[in-house]
Amino acid sequence: MDTTPVTTTTTSTLEPFLALLARSLATLETTFNRLPGSAVIQRYVKSSHQNDPGRTLLEIILILFAIRTLLQSRTQADRGEKHFIQFSDKEIEELVDEWAPEPLAQPLNARSQHELAAVPVIAGANSHKPKLAASGKTVTNLASLNFAGLAGNDFIKQRATEILRKYGLGSCGPPGFYGTLDVHMNLESDIADFLGTEAAILYSQGFSTISSVIPAFCKRGDIIVADRGVNFAIQKGIQISRSTIRWYDHNDLKSLEDVLESVEKERKKRRQPLTRRFIITEGIFEKDGAMVDLPKLIELKYKHKYRLILDESYSFGSVGRTGRGLTELYNVPASKIDMLIGSVAIGLCTSGGFCAGSEVVVNHQRINGLSFIFSASMPALLSVSASEAINMFRSTPSIFSQLQDNIRAARAILDRVDGISIPSHPASPIIHIHLKSFPPNSLHPQSAVSLASSISSSSGAGRRSDPTSILPRDVTKHGWDWDVETEETLLQEVVEEALAQGVMITKAKRLRGQEMVEPRPSIRLALTSALSRKETEKAVGVVKAALAKVLCKRKW
């Protein structure tokens, strides 16, 4: 009879398993000890278990619960279908028949429908003399932003075709990954060299250039002092930055100086620390064609120690002896402007925008400019087209002397027209035409505020406006309004009358209800050097006749 104890038999049976478990634990411990920071975790667990063993158990439970939660399917269906309503096939068909999708946009009113139907359709490529698809008639184009007359240039089209065959169409990626090509870097170098800055960065969309540059530098707690007349893209950039905003009267540098002094007084009064401070304005304003006094602006910048962000989307490629913009027009070194923004789409007739400045400014945007990081780079053919346009600016400065000659000819005609006002600078290639004011009894209570007229009235009265509000104090208090519907209707009649006479012009397009300040309705003429002086005078004469014909119907 076997007298071996049962415990001895059980122990001998478990010995291989226990040995395997010991080896596994030893291997696990060795592997864990090789991990960086393992000694810190061991010390924490030992001290925690020694002082409070219950805490160790709780932490193990929490870790297991977290692992279970992460591994659990988040789209697990209710297998019992307790929460589902069963429909018959007939009920499902009835519900589908009754369903109607919500409209993506509000239906157009009668005036908007009429304006949309009146938009001319061009057959073929756009140029200073396009052909209308409806009638086959060739018209003179004063609507497109073709200041230097590069649209349809044969040499640029040839170079673009060559690059298209070599690189293909799209870049297929953002610049920071695999979207940067040698032609992109060449264009950045060409822009920096052309403007006289250390470096430049290229954006693939013109609108998002300034709205990306501003939040790349301006953060919460920083101070922005901005012109009340800045364009919609700048407004979006300012909103995204979440900085502290102070406003000065439109193109009034005396108002700017008052605001800069008040900001410093407020800082000293509240004993706040110094923070980053920026002045943001445009070279030529998109809303009315006014031009900033750049030397005075730079003087204020250095006096009060601010950084300057200048948007030259409408002055680059249009003013200056070779189209360099306000820096060339006023003989100011571009290095005195911290961030100089321009439009490649407008100035060079291709696509995108750029920001020129120091190496530090440009390199900062390569990792902080959201539109640069998350947008595909522009097609190679457009980059080469822009570089060729810069070469033309260098070699053919007569482009801009012709443009200024056309501007003077147009202003000589328009300045003699009764019933209109022109807020644009005499050298601006974009000319805004406003109707003169309606009598007070014809004002519409719900109409938008006229930016240019209201600000000039308030500043002329010698009253300071509230820098914390984008509207001047007098405008907020008295509400000087304009009958937008009536003015839009009259201006549209002028546009259609001019088109019937062979000249294509346009109203300034606005996003009503979305801008901080609603600009007054206007006709926007865009002059071009592609036309001769005689052709410009003839086209502007047609506009003058259309204005006279429509305004004679106006009842005062």
Side-chain angles (χ1 to χ4, degrees):
M1 182 176 181
D2 188 3
T3 59
T4 303
V6 177
T7 54
T8 304
T9 305
T10 305
T11 302
S12 60
T13 305
L14 293 176
E15 280 182 358
F17 172 74
L18 294 176
L20 177 62
L21 182 61
R23 287 195 302 270
S24 300
L25 292 175
T27 303
L28 182 62
E29 182 180 2
T30 303
T31 304
F32 178 77
N33 291 335
R34 294 176 180 175
L35 297 176
S38 59
V40 177
I41 298 176
Q42 286 181 1
R43 287 197 301 270
Y44 169 75
V45 172
K46 289 179 180 178
S47 61
S48 174
H49 181 73
Q50 183 178 3
N51 298 331
D52 188 2
R55 178 177 176 180
T56 302
L57 179 61
L58 178 61
E59 291 180 348
I60 292 174
I61 294 174
L62 290 176
I63 291 173
L64 294 176
F65 178 76
I67 294 174
R68 177 182 178 275
T69 303
L70 292 173
L71 297 179
Q72 187 178 12
S73 174
R74 299 186 181 184
T75 59
Q76 186 176 4
D78 185 1
R79 298 178 180 178
E81 298 183 354
K82 298 178 181 178
H83 304 290
F84 289 92
I85 300 175
Q86 298 295 331
F87 291 98
S88 63
D89 294 340
K90 182 179 179 181
E91 290 174 329
I92 293 175
E93 292 177 0
E94 291 176 352
L95 290 173
V96 170
D97 293 337
E98 293 175 0
W99 180 78
E102 292 290 333
L104 297 177
Q106 294 297 324
L108 299 177
N109 56 32
R111 180 174 61 83
S112 299
Q113 291 178 355
H114 173 75
E115 292 182 2
L116 182 61
V119 173
V121 179
I122 294 175
N126 188 21
S127 66
H128 63 288
K129 291 280 189 177
K131 181 182 292 186
L132 300 183
S135 61
K137 180 180 178 181
T138 299
V139 296
T140 302
N141 188 355
L142 295 183
S144 300
L145 301 176
N146 182 26
F147 303 139
L150 299 177
N153 183 277
D154 292 333
F155 177 74
I156 291 180
K157 288 196 295 185
Q158 178 185 351
R159 289 285 293 132
T161 303
E162 295 172 359
I163 297 301
L164 177 62
R165 293 194 178 101
K166 179 179 180 181
Y167 290 92
L169 182 59
S171 61
C172 301
F177 292 89
Y178 44 84
T180 298
L181 304 174
D182 56 347
V183 292
H184 297 137
M185 295 185 289
N186 292 340
L187 177 56
E188 291 178 345
S189 177
D190 291 340
I191 292 173
D193 181 66
F194 183 64
L195 294 175
T197 59
E198 292 182 7
I201 183 172
L202 195 61
Y203 288 81
S204 52
Q205 294 93 22
F207 180 90
S208 61
T209 300
I210 184 67
S211 57
S212 177
V213 171
I214 293 174
F217 294 95
C218 309
K219 306 297 182 181
R220 188 188 297 274
D222 296 340
I223 296 175
I224 293 177
V225 180
D227 190 296
R228 285 191 169 95
V230 293
N231 60 51
F232 186 60
I234 295 179
Q235 294 176 26
K236 293 291 106 179
I238 288 175
Q239 289 177 342
I240 296 171
S241 71
R242 298 179 295 179
S243 301
T244 301
I245 313 301
R246 295 292 180 265
W247 303 95
Y248 68 93
D249 292 342
H250 176 47
N251 205 26
D252 185 347
L253 298 188
K254 178 61 174 65
S255 174
L256 170 61
E257 187 171 15
D258 292 340
V259 174
L260 298 180
E261 291 174 353
S262 67
V263 169
E264 182 62 18
K265 289 179 181 178
E266 182 182 359
R267 186 191 70 82
K268 291 181 178 179
K269 182 179 179 180
R270 297 185 178 183
R271 298 181 180 180
Q272 296 174 335
L274 283 173
T275 184
R276 290 170 298 207
R277 302 182 293 185
F278 301 85
I279 299 173
I280 300 179
T281 186
E282 293 181 74
I284 292 179
F285 288 87
E286 179 269 338
K287 288 186 177 180
D288 58 7
M291 185 185 296
V292 72
D293 185 351
L294 185 59
K296 178 63 175 177
L297 182 64
I298 292 178
E299 177 186 338
L300 293 177
K301 167 209 162 181
Y302 281 113
K303 178 180 178 181
H304 297 276
K305 297 178 175 60
Y306 275 68
R307 294 180 174 92
L308 175 60
I309 301 178
L310 180 65
D311 185 0
E312 287 213 70
S313 294
Y314 291 85
S315 50
F316 174 75
S318 63
V319 298
R321 189 183 71 86
T322 57
R324 287 175 168 86
L326 264 62
T327 55
E328 185 176 41
L329 182 67
Y330 287 103
N331 195 25
V332 174
S335 58
K336 292 188 176 182
I337 301 172
D338 299 277
M339 282 142 277
L340 196 157
I341 289 86
S343 174
V344 182
I346 297 174
L348 303 177
C349 282
T350 59
S351 175
F354 66 86
C355 177
S358 65
E359 290 280 0
V360 174
V361 165
V362 169
N363 291 335
H364 177 79
Q365 294 176 70
R366 297 195 189 280
I367 57 175
N368 287 278
L370 298 183
S371 295
F372 180 83
I373 297 172
F374 296 108
S375 297
S377 57
M378 71 166 62
L381 64 95
L382 296 180
S383 299
V384 173
S385 299
S387 293
E388 294 296 343
I390 291 178
N391 293 335
M392 289 186 177
F393 289 177
R394 294 178 187 271
S395 60
T396 320
S398 59
I399 292 174
F400 302 100
S401 59
Q402 177 66 45
L403 176 60
Q404 288 301 317
D405 193 31
N406 291 345
I407 293 172
R408 287 189 292 269
R411 290 298 297 265
I413 296 173
L414 295 173
D415 288 341
R416 297 195 302 266
V417 178
D418 294 330
I420 66 170
S421 62
I422 300 177
S424 306
H425 189 275
S428 170
I430 51 174
I431 301 176
H432 285 262
I433 300 175
H434 291 165
L435 300 180
K436 283 190 176 177
S437 307
F438 280 89
N441 57 6
S442 68
L443 297 181
H444 192 281
Q446 300 298 327
S447 58
V449 177
S450 168
L451 179 68
S453 300
S454 61
I455 291 176
S456 61
S457 301
S458 63
S459 59
R463 302 172 182 175
R464 291 189 178 184
S465 58
D466 182 6
T468 61
S469 171
I470 192 171
L471 289 178
R473 191 188 309 275
D474 290 347
V475 179
T476 307
K477 181 178 180 180
H478 300 292
W480 295 325
D481 295 336
W482 303 93
D483 192 341
V484 174
E485 293 292 330
T486 301
E487 293 198 15
E488 291 276 8
T489 301
L490 288 172
L491 294 177
Q492 181 62 29
E493 292 180 14
V494 175
V495 171
E496 295 175 14
E497 177 64 25
L499 183 63
Q501 301 301 321
V503 178
M504 185 168 64
I505 61 177
T506 182
K507 292 190 304 178
K509 305 302 181 183
R510 305 299 178 192
L511 295 172
R512 297 293 176 189
Q514 297 188 38
E515 297 199 38
M516 295 182 181
V517 173
E518 297 287 357
R520 188 177 179 182
S522 66
I523 286 177
R524 189 202 68 196
L525 301 184
L527 300 184
T528 174
S529 64
L531 297 173
S532 66
R533 180 186 179 92
K534 186 176 181 180
E535 290 173 325
T536 301
E537 289 176 339
K538 181 179 179 180
V540 177
V542 170
V543 177
K544 175 185 176 181
L547 284 166
K549 182 177 180 179
V550 172
L551 292 179
C552 70
K553 305 176 184 178
R554 182 177 175 182
K555 295 181 181 180
W556 293 90

